[in-house]
C-alpha cells in the first residue's frame, strides 16, 4: 500500500481527507497531537500520536511508514485566537511546519500537499482573489500560513520539495455517510454555531458586525463543501505523483454569501428559527473573501459536486443531529 502522512488527520478536514485517500487506494497515516482532533475520527488508517514541535516523533513516523507524500492539515486555525495569542500561532503553525518540512526533505519525501488559506490574501476590496493576488494577511493565522508557503518555496529551490498549496475559502458540511464530521471544542465557526443555536444548545448566534461595507452589512464568505475540498487534495496528490510540480490552487466556488444569507438558508434547510444577537465586529475578520479563480477546475479537473449552501448546511445538520465523537 502507498502511505501518505496526514498531519491533523484526526481533525475536521484531515479526517475527511483520510476517508477520500483510503477510497482512492492510499493508506492515510494520521499524525496528530489530539489537541483539537479526536481519536474517534481516525478510522481509515494507522494513527501516530505525535507533536510537530517534537522533531524526533516526526522522524520516527517517516522511518516507520516511508510515506510517498505528506498532507499537512495540522494547525491552529481560529482567526480570533490568533489575534490575541500570536506567539502561540507562530510557534505552533510555523515552527511545527518547519520541523515537518525539514523532516520530509531529510527523509527524501518530496511531495507535499499543504492546507493554506484565503486569509493569506487579507482584506482587498473589489479585488478578484485569484492565485496571483497579492498576499497581505490581516491576522496572525493568515500570516503564519503565508510564512509556511514561503518555507515550501525555499525548500523547493534548495531540496526539490514539490508542493501543491491549497488556499481554502470557508469549509463547511460533513461526510454525507456520517462517518466523520465537524466537531470543535470550543466551536467558533459560523455554521455549527448556528446549528447549536437552532436546536437550543446555545441561546443565540452572535452576528459579528452588521456595519460592514456589504449589501446587508455582514461579512461575505465563499463556502465550499469539505468533501469537495478533500477530493481536490487527492487530485493534488496525484498531480504531484505524476511529476507535474509545485502549484497553488484556490479552493472556493466563486460565490459569496453574507452571514445573514447563511442564516436565511439555515432557517430554510432546518425549518426552524435561528435566534440571533447582533454583536460587534470580531477583530481580524475580512469584509469579503470570495475566490475568483477556477484554476483547480481547469488544471486539476476538480469537479465540486456538493458545494451549494443548502447542501452544506443540510449535511452539517445531519451530522449535528446524529454524529459525535467520544470526548
Ligand atoms: N461569524 C459570526 N458569528 C459567529 C462566528 C462567525 O458572525 O459566531 C462570522 C464571521 O465574522 C465571518 C463568518 O461568520 O464573517 C465566517 O466565520 P468563521 O469563523 O466560520 O470562519 P472564518 O471566515 O473566520 O474562517
Amino acid at each position: 500500500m502507498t502511505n501518505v502522512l496526514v498531519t491533523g488527520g484526526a481533525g475536521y478536514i484531515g479526517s475527511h481527507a483520510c476517508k477520500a485517500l483510503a477510497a482512492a487506494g492510499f493508506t492515510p497515516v494520521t499524525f496528530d497531537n489530539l489537541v483539537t482532533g479526536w481519536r474517534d475520527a481516525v478510522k481509515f488508517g494507522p494513527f501516530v500520536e505525535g507533536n510537530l514541535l517534537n522533531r524526533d516523533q516526526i522522524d520516527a513516523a517517516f522511518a516507520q511508514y516511508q510515506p510517498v507524500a505528506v498532507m499537512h492539515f495540522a494547525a491552529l486555525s481560529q482567526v480570533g485566537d490568533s489575534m490575541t495569542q500570536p506567539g502561540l500561532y507562530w510557534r505552533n503553525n510555523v515552527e511545527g511546519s518547519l520541523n515537518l518540512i525539514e523532516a520530509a526533505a531529510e527523509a527524501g519525501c518530496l511531495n507535499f500537499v499543504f492546507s493554506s488559506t484565503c486569509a493569506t490574501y487579507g482584506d482587498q476590496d473589489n479585488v478578484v482573489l485569484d492565485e496571483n493576488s497579492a498576499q497581505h494577511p490581516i491576522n496572525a493565522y493568515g500570516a503564519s500560513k503565508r510564512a509556511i508557503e514561503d518555507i515550501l518555496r525555499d525548500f523547493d529551490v534548495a531540496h526539490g520539495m514539490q508542493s501543491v498549496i491549497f488556499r481554502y475559502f470557508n469549509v463547511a458540511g460533513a461526510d454525507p455517510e456520517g462517518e466523520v464530521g465537524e466537531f470543535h471544542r470550543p466551536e467558533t465557526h459560523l455554521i455549527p454555531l448556528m446549528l447549536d443555536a437552532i436546536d437550543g444548545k446555545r441561546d443565540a448566534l452572535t452576528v459579528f458586525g452588521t456595519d460592514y461595507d456589504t449589501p446587508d452589512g455582514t461579512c461575505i464568505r465563499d463556502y465550499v463543501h469539505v468533501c469537495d475540498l478533500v477530493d481536490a487534495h487527492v487530485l493534488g496528490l496525484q498531480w504531484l505523483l505524476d511529476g507535474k510540480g509545485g502549484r497553488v490552487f484556490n479552493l472556493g466556488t466563486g460565490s459569496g454569501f453574507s452571514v445573514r444569507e447563511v442564516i436565511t438558508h439555515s432557517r430554510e434547510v432546518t425549518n426552524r428559527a435561528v435566534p440571533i444577537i447582533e454583536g460587534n465586529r470580531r477583530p481580524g475578520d475580512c469584509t469579503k473573501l470570495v475566490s475568483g479563480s477556477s484554476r483547480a477546475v481547469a488544471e486539476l479537473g476538480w469537479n465540486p459536486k456538493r458545494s451549494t449552501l443548502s447542501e452544506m448546511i443540510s449535511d452539517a445538520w445531519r451530522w449535528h443531529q446524529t454524529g459525535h465523537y467520544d470526548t
Side-chain angles (χ1 to χ4, degrees), residues 23-153:
F26 296 95
T27 300
V29 178
T30 290
F31 184 98
D32 199 298
N33 63 4
L34 300 183
V35 167
T36 56
W38 306 100
R39 180 66 184 86
D40 279 4
V42 183
K43 302 181 172 181
F44 310 99
F47 174 59
V48 178
E49 184 165 354
N51 192 322
L52 292 177
L53 296 177
N54 184 327
R55 181 60 202 271
D56 290 344
Q57 291 178 345
I58 307 172
D59 288 339
F62 277 105
Q64 183 175 354
Y65 290 101
Q66 307 279 317
V68 293
V70 176
M71 265 191 202
H72 179 33
F73 297 97
L76 296 173
S77 62
Q78 312 302 343
V79 167
D81 284 354
S82 82
M83 298 299 285
T84 55
Q85 303 173 75
L88 180 67
Y89 272 67
W90 279 89
R91 181 165 301 101
N92 185 81
N93 290 0
V94 180
E95 190 181 327
S97 297
L98 179 56
N99 285 339
L100 175 68
I101 295 164
E102 266 181 335
E106 284 176 28
C109 177
L110 298 177
N111 299 306
F112 203 99
V113 179
F114 177 52
S115 156
S116 188
T117 170
C118 63
T120 60
Y121 295 121
D123 233 345
Q124 303 190 35
D125 277 355
N126 301 318
V127 171
V128 173
L129 295 175
D130 67 24
E131 291 84 352
N132 295 318
S133 296
Q135 290 175 290
H136 300 298
I138 63 164
N139 52 61
Y141 166 61
S144 73
K145 290 282 186 171
R146 187 186 60 178
I148 300 160
E149 292 190 9
D150 289 343
I151 294 171
L152 284 168
R153 280 188 204 97

Side-chain angles (χ1 to χ4, degrees), residues 2-7 21 26 62 66-72 100-101 103-115 152 155-156 159-166 233-247:
T2 309
N3 291 335
V4 176
L5 189 69
V6 182
T7 72
L21 283 167
F26 296 95
F62 277 105
Q66 307 279 317
V68 293
V70 176
M71 265 191 202
H72 179 33
L100 175 68
I101 295 164
E106 284 176 28
C109 177
L110 298 177
N111 299 306
F112 203 99
V113 179
F114 177 52
S115 156
L152 284 168
F155 271 69
D156 180 8
H159 304 295
M161 177 69 72
Q162 302 295 292
S163 57
V164 162
I165 293 171
F166 287 119
H233 286 64
V234 176
L235 293 168
L237 170 62
Q238 204 55 59
W239 168 286
L240 289 173
L241 297 178
D242 290 345
K244 292 184 177 169
R247 198 74 172 133

